[in-house]
Amino acid sequence: MIEAGALGDTVLQLHVARALRTTLRPGRLAWLGRDSWLPIVRRCETIDEATALDAIGAHRLFAEGQHIDDDLAAWLGQFDWIVNGIAAADSPAGRRLQRCARQDLLTHGARPDQEVNRHVTAQWLDQLIEHLDSKHASCERLPESTAPASDPPPQNPAERLRSAADERQNTPDIFLRPRPADVAAAEALLAEVGLTPTDWQDHLILLHPGSGGLSKCWPIDRYAGLSETLARRGFTPVLLFGPAEMERAAGRPPAPTRTFPAIEDPSLAELLGLFSLARAYVGNDSGPTHTAAAAGTATVALFGPTAPHLWRPLGPRVQILQSRRWQQNWSDLPPDTVAAALTAT
């Protein structure tokens, strides 16, 4: 699989990989993607190996002309199937990938159709299924008189994938698991912010106020209010701040949250470790929220301008809260509403 999206896109693509693993049953499933997200990919039990796009010079796929360098063609030529999420099938890069695949190239668009009432992962799988359907329909058959009577009818991989796609939407499972070192590193981060195991065991609730888009963020004063509510109820709220949030706040956690423990810019491995220790997680429509859901953490995802029917995080314990008034300071989503959802997880 070749992907180059943001963290949330990567986690959702791993759901696609999971469906492919259970249906096409490849002997080896390799991932080619952005170096930044490989720590997450390498903790996905579906993926056998993960390689950075830069490590093989994948930018050369987008060069002018028809030529593809021999070393790049040889690397890509290891694989029977290439699942392409970085280029249109009829683009120069798509045609190069088609030539490299031993059997076939499966391509899906990066962005969903906003008019279709299906989750983005279902739309991606629909595109792969459509291609497999067309390939199956065009396969040559032996004449009926010469086909051995005992042979079973040919299996249609599209049908198997369709069933897996529906199952993933209805009962998504856990497939991101931290390593022991990740958990130890997470415990060390909690100690650095002054918490002992007695403080956080069975009480830890992680709050991530950030997102790539500011309009997708529940207001920071609401996170502070939620922290106060949770602390009064005997929980231990810990805020997580990534680079985008720290940059917006001029390098320090935002003032309304400074009363509470805060972890700044944890690595993805540390983040997975923290998710494994937490009782629950609250976050906006963001990459960490998708990661928490796929790791099996009880997750409350807060949506404003983006559509949860397209972008909701997939996991076994996910609740969605959507504001219809996000342009009016999310006035219909007060801290008490989020706290009630948390205590119901």
Side-chain angles (χ1 to χ4, degrees):
M1 294 187 66
I2 308 178
E3 302 300 338
L7 175 59
D9 299 317
T10 295
V11 175
L12 292 176
Q13 292 291 355
L14 290 172
H15 285 278
V16 174
R18 188 77 162 168
L20 293 172
R21 166 68 79 189
T22 58
T23 54
L24 302 184
R25 298 183 178 88
R28 178 171 60 124
L29 203 162
W31 181 279
L32 182 63
R34 290 176 58 181
D35 183 71
S36 303
W37 316 135
L38 291 190
I40 288 292
V41 177
R42 289 175 176 143
R43 287 155 177 81
C44 175
E45 57 193 28
T46 295
I47 304 299
D48 297 305
E49 62 184 77
T51 301
L53 287 160
D54 289 345
I56 65 164
H59 64 278
R60 292 175 289 171
L61 287 168
F62 298 89
E64 295 292 332
Q66 298 298 314
H67 175 72
I68 181 169
D69 292 341
D70 291 344
D71 64 318
L72 183 55
W75 194 93
L76 293 166
Q78 304 174 71
F79 304 104
D80 295 323
W81 299 79
I82 295 177
V83 180
N84 160 39
I86 62 170
D90 59 354
S91 67
R95 289 192 289 271
R96 288 187 177 101
L97 290 169
Q98 179 69 70
R99 293 201 305 272
C100 291
R102 289 177 179 174
Q103 289 192 33
D104 204 0
L105 176 73
L106 302 178
T107 297
H108 62 77
R111 311 309 296 174
D113 184 340
Q114 301 286 331
E115 303 302 317
V116 176
N117 190 27
R118 281 172 68 75
H119 194 268
V120 61
T121 56
Q123 293 194 38
W124 289 333
L125 285 163
D126 286 345
Q127 293 174 50
L128 304 185
I129 288 165
E130 182 179 359
H131 181 88
L132 290 169
D133 263 333
S134 65
K135 290 289 289 187
H136 184 76
S138 64
C139 284
E140 293 184 359
R141 302 284 197 273
L142 288 172
E144 187 175 342
S145 59
T146 62
S150 60
D151 279 2
Q155 289 186 316
N156 185 346
E159 289 299 327
R160 300 199 305 271
L161 188 55
R162 187 174 289 112
S163 296
D166 292 341
E167 183 178 352
R168 290 218 62 72
Q169 294 300 303
N170 296 327
T171 56
D173 60 359
I174 300 169
F175 60 81
L176 293 180
R177 303 188 187 278
R179 298 169 182 170
D182 304 337
V183 178
E187 291 175 340
L189 287 179
L190 293 172
E192 286 176 12
V193 296
L195 298 176
T196 67
T198 302
D199 296 321
W200 56 259
Q201 282 178 347
D202 299 322
H203 304 289
L204 176 63
I205 296 183
L206 300 172
L207 312 177
H208 175 55
S211 177
L214 188 57
S215 65
K216 296 194 293 183
C217 295
W218 195 43
I220 193 66
D221 63 307
R222 304 295 177 86
Y223 276 99
L226 176 60
S227 299
E228 292 170 358
T229 298
L230 294 174
R232 285 197 303 269
R233 296 181 183 182
F235 297 106
T236 303
V238 173
L239 291 116
L240 304 173
F241 293 103
E245 299 84 76
M246 297 302 293
E247 183 177 346
R248 289 174 190 145
R252 294 188 65 197
T257 66
R258 289 177 193 163
T259 307
F260 303 97
I263 294 174
E264 300 173 18
D265 199 15
S267 70
L268 291 179
E270 291 168 336
L271 201 59
L272 266 183
L274 287 166
F275 292 154
S276 74
L277 299 173
R279 180 188 181 101
Y281 165 95
V282 180
N284 308 311
D285 175 17
S286 67
T289 301
H290 286 285
T291 306
T297 306
T299 297
V300 176
L302 310 178
F303 276 75
T306 47
H309 76 274
L310 291 172
W311 295 108
R312 72 182 186 276
L314 300 177
R317 297 194 292 161
V318 176
Q319 289 193 70
I320 304 296
L321 296 179
Q322 184 171 26
S323 171
R324 303 294 180 183
R325 301 176 189 166
W326 59 272
Q327 290 175 308
Q328 287 80 45
N329 203 34
W330 300 64
S331 58
D332 56 342
L333 200 58
D336 284 349
T337 298
V338 179
L342 267 175
T343 54
T345 55

